[in-house]
C-alpha cells in the first residue's frame, strides 16, 4: 500500500520541527503533511545532547527539549503534531528515493508518495572503522549524533565511574563532550591532529584561552597526533588507544567526535550537488521541481558574502527550514518572498560556566581584545575579523549576554575600520557604538 501526502519532510531533526511549525503557521489541512524519521522520537533540539544531556546532577531529558519554535519558544510535544493533523512516521528508515516518481521506500518495504518533498536528512558521523583504524569495532567506543547515542554513552559513564575517557577530535563536539565527561569526574584526554583546538574557527589566541581553561578543569590535551588503533580486553571492551606518535593511552571509554558528513546518498545522480551538499537557490529549491533541501545537506547562496556554502550550524537548520516552507506556501499562492539572508552563528557552553558565540565570517586579519587569561576569575574577551578594511566576523567569550546583540549587528553590517590599534582598545564598545548609532 502507498501512503500519500501533499508534503513530506524527510528527516526528524530540529529542521523538521521548525518546518512543521511553519507549515502549521502558514495553513495546513489535516493529513497533508508527514514527517518521516528513522529516530523513535519526535523532533528535538539536538544541540542539548552535548551540552546538558550528560550532566551528572541535572541531566536534561525529554520532553523538556523537544523542538521549541515560534516567538514564544513553544515546545512541540508529540501531541502537538497530532493536534495539527501532522503524521509522525517514526522508527522508519528510507532506503530509496525516486525523485522522478515522487516516491520514497522504507527498509520495511513501505512506499510513500508526495507532491512536495523537503529534504532535512542532516548529517551522519564519520566512523573510524570506515577509515580502516585497527580495533575500532571494540565495545565502549562511542559516536555522538542522536539521542540513542547519548543514552548509550550516559549508561557507560555510570558503569565506568571515575574511569578514563579519551575523546578523539578537538572541534565543536569534542570540546563539549570533553567538558561533560570531566563534569562526570572521568579522567579525560582529548586527542586531535591540529595545532590547536577548534582550528576551523578559533585563532591561536582564542584557542590558548580555551585549552588553558580546560587544563585548569583537569582535561589533558594531546595535539598534533592521531589515533591509529585500539586494543580491547577479554570482554571486547576498549582498553588502550594507540597514537601515531607512539604513545598509548589507557581508556575505559572512547568518544569519537571526528567530523560528520551530510546524508545525501539517497539522492545521488538525481539532483545537482555542489561542495558536498545538494545545491539550492535562495529559497532552498533544488534542481528538481518540488524538491527542497535545508540544514546540513543544503549548499545555498549566502547573500551576505555572495557565495555558495554548506553550513552545519543548528541556527541555520532552523532558519533554512522556515524559509523553505515560507517559499513553498508563497509559490502555491502566487506570492513572492525575500531570499534567505543568513548571518552565520555558532555557539557553545562548557562546564556550565564558560560560553562563547561567533557571528559572521572568520576570514582576514584578527584583533583580540579584553581579558583572555585562563587564570582570570571572570574572563571576558572578544575578537574581530577584518577583511578589506571591514569587520566581517565577531567572537565573544565570557559574559556574552551583555554584548551578543551588538556583536551580531557588527558582523552583519560590516563597518569600516580606520585604525586597528584603536579598534583593539575600544573592544566591545566599538560594537555598541555601531549598534547604538546604526552605523555601517
Amino acid at each position: 500500500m502507498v501512503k500519500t501526502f501533499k508534503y513530506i519532510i524527510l528527516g526528524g531533526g530540529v529542521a523538521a520541527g521548525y518546518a512543521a511549525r511553519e507549515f502549521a503557521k502558514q495553513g495546513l489541512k489535516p493529513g497533508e503533511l508527514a514527517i518521516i524519521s528513522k529516530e523513535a522520537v519526535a523532533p528535538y533540539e539536538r544541540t542539548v545532547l552535548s551540552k546538558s544531556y550528560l550532566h551528572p546532577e541535572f541531566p536534561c531529558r525529554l520532553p523538556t527539549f523537544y523542538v521549541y519554535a515560534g516567538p514564544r519558544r513553544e515546545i512541540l510535544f508529540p501531541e502537538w503534531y497530532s493536534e495539527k493533523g501532522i503524521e509522525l512516521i517514526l522508527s522508519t528508515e528510507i532506503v530509496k528515493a525516486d525523485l522522478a516518481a515522487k516516491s520514497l521506500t522504507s527498509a520495511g518495504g513501505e512506499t510513500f508518495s508526495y507532491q512536495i518533498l523537503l529534504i532535512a536528512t542532516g548529517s551522519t558521523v564519520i566512523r573510524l572503522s570506515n577509515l580502516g583504524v585497527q580495533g575500532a569495532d571494540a565495545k565502549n567506543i562511542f559516536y555522538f549524533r542522536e539521542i540513542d547515542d547519548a543514552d548509550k554513552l550516559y549508561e557507560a559513564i555510570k558503569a565506568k565511574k571515575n574511569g578514563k575517557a579519551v575523546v578523539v577530535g578537538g572541534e565543536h563536539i569534542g570540546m563539549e563532550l570533553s567538558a561533560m565527561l570531566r563534569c562526570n569526574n572521568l579522567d579525560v584526554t582529548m586527542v586531535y591532529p591540529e595545532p590547536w583546538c577548534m582550528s576551523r574557527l578559533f585563532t591561536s589566541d582564542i584557542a590558548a584561552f580555551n585549552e588553558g581553561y580546560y587544563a585548569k578543569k583537569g582535561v589533558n590535551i594531546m595535539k598534533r597526533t592521531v589515533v591509529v588503533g585500539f586494543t580491547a580486553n577479554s570482554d571486547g571492551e576498549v582498553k588502550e588507544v594507540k597514537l601515531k606518535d607512539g604513545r598509548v593511552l589507557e581508556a575505559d571509554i572512547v568518544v569519537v567526535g571526528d567530523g560528520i558528513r551530510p546524508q545525501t546518498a539517497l539522492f545521488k545522480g538525481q539532483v545537482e550537488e555542489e561542495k558536498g551538499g545538494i545545491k539550492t537557490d535562495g529559497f532552498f529549491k533544488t534542481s528538481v521541481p518540488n524538491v527542497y533541501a535545508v540544514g546540513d545537506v543544503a549548499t545555498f547562496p549566502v547573500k551576505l558574502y555572495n557565495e555558495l556554502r554548506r553550513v552545519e550550524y543548528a541556527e541555520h537548520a532552523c532558519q533554512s527550514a522556515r524559509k523553505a516552507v515560507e517559499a513553498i506556501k508563497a509559490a502555491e499562492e502566487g506570492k513572492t518572498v525575500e531570499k534567505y539572508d543568513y548571518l552565520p552563528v555558532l555557539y557553545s557552553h562548557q562546564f556550565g560556566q564558560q560560553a562563547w558565540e561567533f557571528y559572521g565570517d572568520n576570514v582576514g586579519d584578527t584583533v583580540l581584545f579584553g581579558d583572555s587569561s585562563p587564570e582570570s576569575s571572570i574572563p571576558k574577551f572578544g575578537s574581530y575579523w577584518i577583511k578589506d578594511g571591514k569587520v566581517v566576523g565577531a567572537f565573544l567569550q565570557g559574559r556574552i549576554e551583555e554584548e551578543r546583540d551588538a556583536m551580531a549587528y557588527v558582523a552583519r553590517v560590516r563597518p569600516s575600520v580606520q585604525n586597528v590599534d584603536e579598534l583593539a582598545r575600544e573592544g566591545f564598545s566599538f560594537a555598541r557604538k555601531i549598534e547604538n548609532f546604526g552605523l555601517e
Side-chain angles (χ1 to χ4, degrees):
M1 180 181 292
V2 178
K3 298 193 72 172
T4 302
F5 300 92
K6 184 175 183 180
Y7 314 104
I8 288 181
I9 300 170
L10 181 56
V14 65
Y18 274 76
R21 171 66 169 71
E22 189 65 23
F23 269 119
K25 174 186 172 185
Q26 295 279 346
L28 192 66
K29 295 178 182 177
E32 283 190 326
L33 172 63
I35 296 174
I36 303 177
S37 172
K38 70 182 182 69
E39 293 195 70
V41 297
Y44 57 90
E45 299 284 342
R46 198 178 302 280
T47 57
V48 170
L49 296 181
S50 60
K51 291 177 172 62
S52 53
Y53 198 86
L54 303 176
H55 197 284
E57 297 177 16
F58 309 106
C60 192
R61 289 292 181 270
L62 292 176
T64 58
F65 66 98
Y66 282 119
V67 165
Y68 30 87
R72 291 179 294 179
R73 307 294 278 173
E74 172 188 14
I75 297 180
L76 307 187
F77 298 105
E79 53 267 30
W80 178 88
Y81 297 90
S82 299
E83 292 167 1
K84 300 298 181 182
I86 300 169
E87 186 164 347
L88 283 176
I89 303 172
L90 305 176
S91 301
T92 301
E93 183 179 4
I94 296 300
V95 295
K96 180 182 178 183
D98 188 333
L99 301 186
K102 295 188 174 182
S103 72
L104 306 170
T105 305
S106 75
E110 301 164 289
T111 300
F112 306 92
S113 69
Y114 59 85
Q115 294 179 35
I116 295 176
L117 176 65
L118 182 63
I119 301 170
T121 45
S123 296
T124 187
V125 296
I126 297 174
R127 295 183 175 273
L128 296 182
S129 55
N130 295 336
L131 301 177
V133 177
Q134 182 183 12
D137 56 350
K139 296 176 184 177
N140 288 342
I141 296 178
F142 297 95
Y143 297 84
F144 203 85
R145 185 65 183 170
E146 300 176 353
I147 198 166
D148 280 351
D149 302 325
D151 285 336
K152 291 173 184 175
L153 180 56
Y154 186 76
E155 291 304 313
I157 290 171
K158 291 194 295 182
K160 302 295 183 180
K161 189 175 181 180
N162 301 325
K164 295 180 182 294
V166 174
V167 176
V168 182
E171 293 295 331
H172 200 181
I173 193 72
M175 295 288 288
E176 291 190 342
L177 289 177
S178 293
M180 278 293 96
L181 291 169
R182 188 69 192 112
C183 286
N184 279 276
N185 205 37
L186 273 73
D187 182 345
V188 180
T189 299
M190 292 179 67
V191 179
Y192 48 89
E194 296 84 7
W196 60 74
C197 66
M198 288 287 295
S199 61
R200 287 184 290 179
L201 172 62
F202 286 179
T203 64
S204 59
D205 291 324
I206 296 172
F209 169 82
N210 283 275
E211 290 174 350
Y213 185 81
Y214 271 56
K216 280 183 64 178
K217 292 291 185 179
V219 176
N220 306 303
I221 296 177
M222 295 186 177
K223 301 181 281 189
R224 299 179 186 271
T225 190
V226 296
V227 173
V228 294
F230 303 93
T231 59
N233 61 23
S234 58
D235 294 322
E237 297 180 339
V238 68
K239 181 177 69 174
E240 293 175 331
V241 180
K242 300 177 182 179
L243 304 184
K244 188 176 182 179
D245 60 16
R247 287 179 289 183
V248 177
L249 308 176
E250 293 181 18
D252 300 298
I253 293 173
V254 173
V255 184
V256 181
D258 206 26
I260 56 178
R261 61 166 60 97
Q263 299 195 84
T264 59
L266 283 172
F267 316 103
K268 291 288 183 184
Q270 300 184 72
V271 64
E272 188 175 352
E273 297 185 57
E274 190 159 336
K275 295 186 176 180
I278 298 171
K279 186 179 180 180
T280 77
D281 64 9
F283 306 104
F284 296 99
K285 291 189 292 185
T286 72
S287 59
V288 178
N290 296 315
V291 176
Y292 293 72
V294 299
D296 289 7
V297 299
T299 298
F300 64 99
V302 181
K303 185 178 178 181
L304 195 59
Y305 309 125
N306 193 32
E307 66 180 46
L308 287 172
R309 293 189 183 181
R310 193 181 64 79
V311 176
E312 296 171 353
Y313 299 169
E315 187 72 17
H316 162 64
C318 304
Q319 293 183 28
S320 61
R322 285 198 299 258
K323 177 56 68 175
V325 175
E326 184 184 349
I328 289 168
K329 300 299 284 188
E332 291 177 344
E333 298 168 7
K335 298 178 180 178
T336 59
V337 293
E338 292 292 323
K339 289 184 178 180
Y340 189 52
D341 189 8
Y342 174 65
L343 173 69
V345 178
L346 186 62
Y347 63 93
S348 183
H349 300 95
Q350 303 130 6
F351 297 101
Q353 304 169 30
Q354 269 303 307
W356 58 258
E357 293 185 6
F358 169 77
Y359 301 92
D361 209 10
N362 61 324
V363 295
D365 300 321
T366 57
V367 174
L368 184 75
F369 55 88
D371 180 1
S372 59
S373 169
E375 303 303 320
S376 176
S377 58
I378 311 178
K380 179 183 176 182
F381 66 97
S383 181
Y384 295 120
W385 279 258
I386 303 167
K387 182 181 179 182
D388 298 330
K390 293 185 175 183
V391 173
V392 296
F395 174 92
L396 60 159
Q397 184 154 5
R399 300 189 302 280
I400 60 176
E401 65 281 350
E402 301 171 359
E403 315 289 355
R404 60 158 57 99
D405 291 344
M407 295 292 271
Y409 183 82
V410 162
R412 177 168 286 282
V413 302
R414 295 180 292 172
S416 298
V417 174
Q418 305 301 325
N419 188 307
V420 172
D421 293 334
E422 185 177 342
L423 178 64
R425 287 193 295 272
E426 287 189 84
F428 289 115
S429 63
F430 172 82
R432 290 194 294 267
K433 175 182 67 177
I434 296 297
E435 183 189 37
N436 290 339
F437 291 97
L439 301 174
E440 295 187 12

